Amino acid sequence: MKQKVLYIYLLVLILAGCTYAPLPKQNGNASTDKKVTDESNHGDAKTFLLIGADSRGEKKSRADAIMIARYFPERGKLKLASIMRDSYVKIPGDHPQYNKINAAYYYGGKELLKKTIDEAFGVKIDHVAVIDFQGFVKMVDLLAPEGVVVDVDQKIIDDMSIQASIGKNVLHGEELLKYVRFRHDDESDFGRVDRQQGVLLQLKNGFIDQISSLEGVVALPSIIEQGLSYLDTDIGLKTILEMGPKAVFQASDTVETLRIPVEGSFKDAEYPEIGAVLEMDETKNKRALQAFFSK
């Protein structure tokens, strides 16, 4: 059974680090200043903000992963844009100031992060889902109870204290969380994206295996409901199931992806009290993101 609704559900896994497919080259010069929630162009399209919180239950935390998903039900199309957490943007408020975009979640939760994305990129959000580390661990074990096979090297083992040996290993929730969060090598967050892609594909396949039988289809609503219990979200079971009937039987290989900042539009910089950031060409990235969601 091929699932596109699967990707709507698997987005919660992306939040904790399981990001998107290899990135096609993007044209950052495309120009549009229209808000991408213009329903005259997109029918019933909905935009979801998906946040992976750097938290194990603390009241305040930063956004460890940020993804915007836009679903076009009439075309059965899903687009995913991931915003690098070190992207340097203006955070609105009584005293607007530039900072890493993940700091917006720390200072004002999901509402401030929504407003920051709107003002920085011109993208309005319809629904929000937040998952923390504990939720990710439970979600992984729900969708892939047999574990996920990954290739582990000594640097990851030492840095993240993973209980594994060099080479192929089957990892489960807590250990897999460490694996997808590793970033302390020469590739930093960019290398992490490549590792996470492989994990996402295996989680997708494991979930499909679970619901490929008649019994699995019958159990799908309860699986989704259990998964939603691991989230802080305004997306309900009814919303997902309403998206599902048409999407469930569509191929899942048409998902388009984007990373912000786009290639050639940023430089590494460092600021006192903030640290290392990705200093972006704001106009180029705003246009790239709007063009991506406007097609």
Side-chain angles (χ1 to χ4, degrees):
M1 181 187 300
K2 293 183 177 181
Q3 316 279 339
K4 184 166 286 290
V5 71
L6 168 65
Y7 274 89
I8 302 297
Y9 186 47
L10 281 177
L11 291 177
V12 297
L13 300 169
I14 297 169
L15 301 181
C18 300
T19 45
Y20 40 85
L23 301 168
K25 291 184 178 180
Q26 303 295 333
N27 179 3
N29 295 321
S31 177
T32 174
D33 291 324
K34 295 182 69 177
K35 296 289 186 180
V36 297
T37 49
D38 184 347
E39 299 302 328
S40 64
N41 290 332
H42 302 303
D44 295 326
K46 296 294 182 183
T47 304
F48 301 81
L49 172 59
L50 306 149
I51 305 166
D54 186 0
S55 165
R56 291 185 181 273
E58 297 88 346
K59 290 184 178 180
K60 296 189 70 173
S61 62
R62 292 178 182 263
D64 195 54
I66 301 166
M67 175 165 283
I68 305 170
R70 189 163 181 81
Y71 182 65
F72 302 79
E74 292 182 358
R75 291 182 279 160
K77 190 179 192 67
L78 179 65
K79 292 191 172 190
L80 307 177
S82 182
I83 303 177
M84 303 292 279
R85 63 184 185 177
D86 290 342
S87 299
Y88 194 57
V89 299
K90 181 182 286 186
I91 298 177
D94 294 336
H95 305 284
Q97 59 182 329
Y98 276 85
N99 205 325
K100 298 179 182 182
I101 193 169
N102 68 347
Y105 185 72
Y106 179 84
Y107 291 121
K110 57 190 177 184
E111 291 304 320
L112 182 56
L113 184 52
K114 281 171 58 176
K115 187 174 182 180
T116 300
I117 291 171
D118 183 15
E119 295 194 8
F121 302 107
V123 176
K124 288 192 174 295
I125 304 300
D126 296 306
H127 296 285
V128 182
V130 182
I131 189 169
D132 63 11
F133 292 160
Q134 293 174 332
F136 173 78
V137 169
K138 292 177 181 178
M139 189 73 74
V140 166
D141 289 337
L142 172 67
L143 298 186
E146 302 301 318
V148 173
V149 179
V150 296
D151 194 5
V152 181
D153 63 27
Q154 191 64 53
K155 185 173 288 188
I156 297 176
I157 292 172
D158 293 341
D159 187 81
M160 303 301 291
S161 299
I162 292 179
Q163 299 299 310
S165 57
I166 298 174
K168 299 292 184 183
N169 290 262
V170 177
L171 300 184
H172 296 269
E174 191 70 43
E175 299 303 300
L176 193 63
L177 172 64
K178 296 177 182 178
Y179 177 82
V180 300
R181 297 195 67 238
F182 174 72
R183 61 180 298 201
H184 298 149
D185 60 9
D186 293 340
E187 298 296 321
S188 189
D189 272 341
F190 298 93
R192 184 170 68 162
V193 164
D194 293 335
R195 289 186 294 274
Q196 292 160 353
Q197 161 62 12
V199 171
L200 174 60
L201 291 175
Q202 289 200 59
L203 290 169
K204 175 180 72 70
N205 293 336
F207 183 57
I208 289 176
D209 288 343
Q210 284 197 66
I211 60 174
S212 291
S213 64
L214 178 60
E215 292 80 4
V217 173
V218 172
L220 180 59
S222 63
I223 294 174
I224 295 176
E225 189 169 26
Q226 183 177 349
L228 288 174
S229 71
Y230 304 144
L231 303 174
D232 173 12
T233 183
D234 59 0
I235 307 170
L237 177 62
K238 182 174 181 291
T239 299
I240 292 180
L241 293 180
E242 283 176 348
M243 297 170 68
K246 179 180 177 181
V248 163
F249 298 100
Q250 292 182 341
S252 61
D253 57 1
T254 59
V255 178
E256 295 183 29
T257 62
L258 178 74
R259 182 184 64 211
I260 295 295
V262 295
E263 185 176 354
S265 71
F266 66 94
K267 64 180 180 180
D268 295 324
E270 190 158 346
Y271 291 92
E273 299 182 1
I274 295 177
V277 303
L278 299 175
E279 195 169 68
M280 303 185 299
D281 180 324
E282 297 177 30
T283 300
K284 188 172 185 178
N285 280 282
K286 179 176 181 178
R287 287 176 175 175
L289 187 56
Q290 292 201 357
F292 177 69
F293 281 137
S294 295
K295 296 178 182 178

